[in-house]
């Protein structure tokens, strides 16, 4: 039986974030193959984390800069190690290579962090992102981790293009693997109808900077414009329901029932709140990867109004399931128009369902992922021989990280002896 170890940056929360849902989808894919899945993380447990025990996943709490991980991974001897985001590869990659060198090392990027960071920087400065913004320390670290890995799972085909064309990453080191969703038989037959739905919805983890920016953009700019449009067309008062995990006080303070701006916070069932709304709003001004909130909208038959950033790598070449607008006035106008026009709404719903069937088919993506992993395991040595840059980066980075980690470990042991209580 193939043994696979996932080293999590955090414990997965599939109902809180797209990243949490993504890791859970990978676990389900691996288990479907009959593989033995282990999950280890140095993060603290959270109230919304998935019950991995109930899923049949062996869990392990690990430490940072501690040799106890060496013994753990040496005893486990996994066939495949998946690093959740590049920071996990930075921390544990050298230990994995030292203790189980035959294990296939796979990086799950979630999204390209250096791209998100570059866009965020440009947004803060109220300008368009420039090529120079990608020449960052984060890019150096992240791209180096991709080179050091045997294979990287990329959720966005745009990011594959960026990595190959700008950073000269060989395409053989990358595999396109978007959300893996159950779309078999997906249609609108069992979904709430246009008449049964009401209100607008926006959803996203408040700890994720693009989501928090979108909430503020809605509150300060877009929602007042939507209300103005609703009043002008003499439509019934509609509300905007804001959902998301971990709302800070500054978010709940935005709640205003008189204005119909309702901050609901954590949603026990995200699908329930999205499928009962008439329109999904996602005015994302920066970010990367693909957006779980928009994929949820497709599965729920809820048309989405979003930006070009929102739809990046999410159309599969098909008409968008809603409207795309980067200008606040156009965004508000599109939201109200789709809210009241049943014919356009039904067409948008069908477009979203078509994209989901084309892009997120779990059965096809499971097969493609397991095939590439099995091929990579078989060709592991040839792949490594052909990746000289990766070998060079592993040599220098792992040596420096190893010495730094061992220094911190020794320092911590000394501190414990000096302060035993």
């Amino acid at each position: 039986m193939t043994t696979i170890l996932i080293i999590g940056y955090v414990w997965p929360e599939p109902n809180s974030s797209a990243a949490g849902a993504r890791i859970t989808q990978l676990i389900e894919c691996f288990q479907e193959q009959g593989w033995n899945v282990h999950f280890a993380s140095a993060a603290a447990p959270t109230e919304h984390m998935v019950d991995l025990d109930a899923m049949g996943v062996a869990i392990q709490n690990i430490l940072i800069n501690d040799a106890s991980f060496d013994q753990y991974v040496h005893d486990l001897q996994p066939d495949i190690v998946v690093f959740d985001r590049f920071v996990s590869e930075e921390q544990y990659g050298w230990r994995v290579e030292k203790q189980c060198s035959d294990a296939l090392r796979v990086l799950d990027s979630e999204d390209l962090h250096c791209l998100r960071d570059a866009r965020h920087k440009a947004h803060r400065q109220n300008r368009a992102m420039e090529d120079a913004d990608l020449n960052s320390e984060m890019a150096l670290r992240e791209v180096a981790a991709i080179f050091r890995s045997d294979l990287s799972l990329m959720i966005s085909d745009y990011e594959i293009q960026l990595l190959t064309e700008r950073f000269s990453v060989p395409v053989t080191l990358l595999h396109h693997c978007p959300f893996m969703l159950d779309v078999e038989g997906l249609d609108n037959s069992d979904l709430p109808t246009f008449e049964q739905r009401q209100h607008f919805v926006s959803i996203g983890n408040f700890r994720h900077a693009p989501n928090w920016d979108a909430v503020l953009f809605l509150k300060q700019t877009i929602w007042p414009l939507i209300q103005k449009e609703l009043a002008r067309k003499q439509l019934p008062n509609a509300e905007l329901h804001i959902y998301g995990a971990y709302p800070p006080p500054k978010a709940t303070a935005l709640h205003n029932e008189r204005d119909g701006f309702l901050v609901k916070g954590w949603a026990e069932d995200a699908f329930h709140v999205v499928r009962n709304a008439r329109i999904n709003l996602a005015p994302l001004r920066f970010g990367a990867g693909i957006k779980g909130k928009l994929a949820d909208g497709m599965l729920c038959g809820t048309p989405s109004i979003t930006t070009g950033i929102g739809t990046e790598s999410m159309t599969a070449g098909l008409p968008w399931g809603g409207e795309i607008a980067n200008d606040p006035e156009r965004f508000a106008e599109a939201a109200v128009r789709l809210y009241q026009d049943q014919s356009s709404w039904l067409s948008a719903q069908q477009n979203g369902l078509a994209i989901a069937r084309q892009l997120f088919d779990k059965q096809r993506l499971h097969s493609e992922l397991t095939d590439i992993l099995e091929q990579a395991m078989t060709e592991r040595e040839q792949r490594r021989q052909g990746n000289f840059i990766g070998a060079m980066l592993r040599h220098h980075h792992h040596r420096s990280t190893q010495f730094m980690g061992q220094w911190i470990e020794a320092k911590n042991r000394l501190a414990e002896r000096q302060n035993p209580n």
Side-chain angles (χ1 to χ4, degrees):
M1 180 183 295
T2 297
T3 296
I4 187 161
L5 169 64
I6 302 173
I7 302 177
Y9 177 65
V10 294
W11 297 99
E13 297 185 14
N15 292 326
S16 297
S17 69
R22 158 65 161 210
I23 285 291
T24 307
Q25 291 162 15
L26 290 178
I27 291 172
E28 291 171 348
C29 173
F30 301 148
Q31 289 183 321
E32 188 179 274
Q33 301 303 308
W35 295 354
N36 184 23
V37 182
H38 294 249
F39 194 100
S41 179
T46 63
E47 58 179 315
H48 300 313
M49 61 186 284
V50 70
D51 189 347
L52 292 173
D53 276 330
M55 293 179 63
V57 176
I59 62 174
Q60 180 69 36
N61 292 291
I62 54 178
L63 299 173
I64 296 174
N65 298 314
D66 195 283
S68 60
F69 176 83
D70 298 356
Q71 189 63 53
Y72 163 69
V73 77
H74 179 270
D75 292 343
L76 184 62
Q77 287 298 308
D79 300 287
I80 303 172
V81 176
V82 177
F83 300 101
D84 171 26
R85 285 164 266 204
F86 76 93
V87 290
S88 295
E89 190 279 338
E90 284 185 327
Q91 177 63 225
Y92 297 102
W94 69 271
R95 294 182 184 273
V96 169
E97 182 171 4
K98 189 173 182 179
Q99 300 299 327
C100 45
S101 60
D102 287 342
L104 189 74
R105 298 183 290 271
V106 178
L107 172 61
D108 182 38
S109 69
E110 301 294 350
D111 60 31
L112 200 58
H113 291 62
C114 63
L115 175 61
R116 170 159 36 101
D117 184 65
R119 285 173 169 166
H120 193 180
K121 174 183 176 182
H123 174 70
R124 287 195 302 266
Q125 298 176 4
N126 195 30
R127 60 175 176 79
M129 189 191 80
E130 302 171 355
D131 285 348
D133 294 320
L134 288 168
N135 297 334
S136 63
E137 179 185 354
M138 183 174 290
L140 293 172
R141 293 169 56 196
E142 187 168 25
V143 175
I146 290 170
F147 269 105
R148 288 193 298 264
S149 301
D150 295 314
L151 186 70
S152 290
L153 308 183
M154 307 302 302
I155 207 163
S156 159
D157 54 8
Y158 172 80
E159 293 174 2
I160 290 179
Q161 180 182 357
L162 183 66
L163 287 169
T164 55
E165 294 181 0
R166 177 171 179 81
F167 297 111
S168 300
V169 176
V171 70
T172 53
L173 294 180
L174 307 172
H175 176 68
H176 183 216
C177 184
F179 298 135
M180 299 179 285
L181 306 176
D182 187 4
V183 298
E184 187 174 353
L186 181 65
D187 58 38
N188 64 355
S189 60
D190 62 344
L191 295 172
T193 64
F194 176 85
E195 295 87 353
Q196 291 171 329
R197 297 168 182 249
Q198 60 179 339
H199 303 314
F200 297 87
V201 69
S202 184
I203 191 166
N205 193 314
F206 283 95
R207 291 178 175 174
H208 190 53
N211 291 339
W212 172 237
D213 176 77
V215 170
L216 288 177
F217 194 28
L218 283 166
K219 174 68 174 181
Q220 297 167 357
T221 305
I222 292 176
W223 184 242
L225 292 172
I226 289 177
Q227 288 184 305
K228 184 177 179 180
E229 279 288 306
L230 290 170
R232 186 173 68 83
K233 297 189 176 183
Q234 298 182 326
L235 292 172
N237 290 331
E239 298 171 350
L240 172 55
H241 297 175
I242 306 289
Y243 288 91
Y246 305 108
K250 63 182 179 180
T252 55
L254 301 178
H255 182 92
N256 189 318
E257 293 193 12
R258 185 187 61 187
D259 291 340
F261 192 93
L262 308 182
V263 180
K264 300 281 191 174
W266 165 257
E268 284 286 343
D269 186 342
F271 268 36
H272 175 77
V273 300
V274 174
R275 79 196 303 267
N276 285 290
R278 188 174 290 179
I279 300 292
N280 184 26
L281 301 181
L284 298 163
R285 296 190 285 185
F286 60 94
I290 59 177
K291 315 306 181 291
K293 59 178 69 60
L294 298 178
D296 288 349
M298 295 175 194
L299 297 183
C300 294
T302 308
S304 297
I305 316 296
T306 188
T307 61
I309 290 288
T311 62
E312 185 175 273
S313 293
M314 291 200 70
T315 66
L318 300 172
W320 178 245
E323 296 280 351
I324 305 170
N326 297 311
D327 175 77
E329 286 76 16
R330 285 193 59 233
F331 194 103
E333 186 276 330
V336 174
R337 174 164 39 83
L338 207 54
Y339 190 86
Q340 67 168 334
D341 185 344
Q342 183 173 4
S343 176
S344 297
W345 187 91
L346 288 170
S347 295
Q349 182 185 68
Q350 290 299 322
N351 290 342
L353 293 170
I355 292 171
R357 288 190 290 264
Q358 177 71 22
L359 191 59
F360 303 127
D361 182 5
K362 179 173 71 173
Q363 296 307 316
R364 173 180 61 83
L365 294 169
H366 278 197
S367 178
E368 291 175 356
L369 176 57
T370 54
D371 284 351
I372 192 68
L373 289 174
E374 289 174 346
Q375 180 184 359
M377 282 193 287
T378 301
E379 302 172 351
R380 181 185 60 245
E381 291 309 315
Q382 299 97 301
R383 293 171 70 89
R384 291 177 180 174
Q385 287 293 327
N387 182 15
F388 179 80
I389 292 176
M392 178 177 62
L393 289 170
R394 286 200 311 275
H395 173 78
H396 290 287
H397 174 269
H398 287 352
R399 286 294 182 90
S400 60
T401 305
Q402 174 183 348
F403 295 148
M404 176 61 74
Q406 289 174 337
W407 178 80
I408 294 173
E409 186 179 352
K411 183 180 178 181
N412 291 340
R413 284 199 302 266
L414 179 61
E416 288 174 0
R417 286 198 294 267
Q418 293 176 341
N419 301 284
N421 295 322

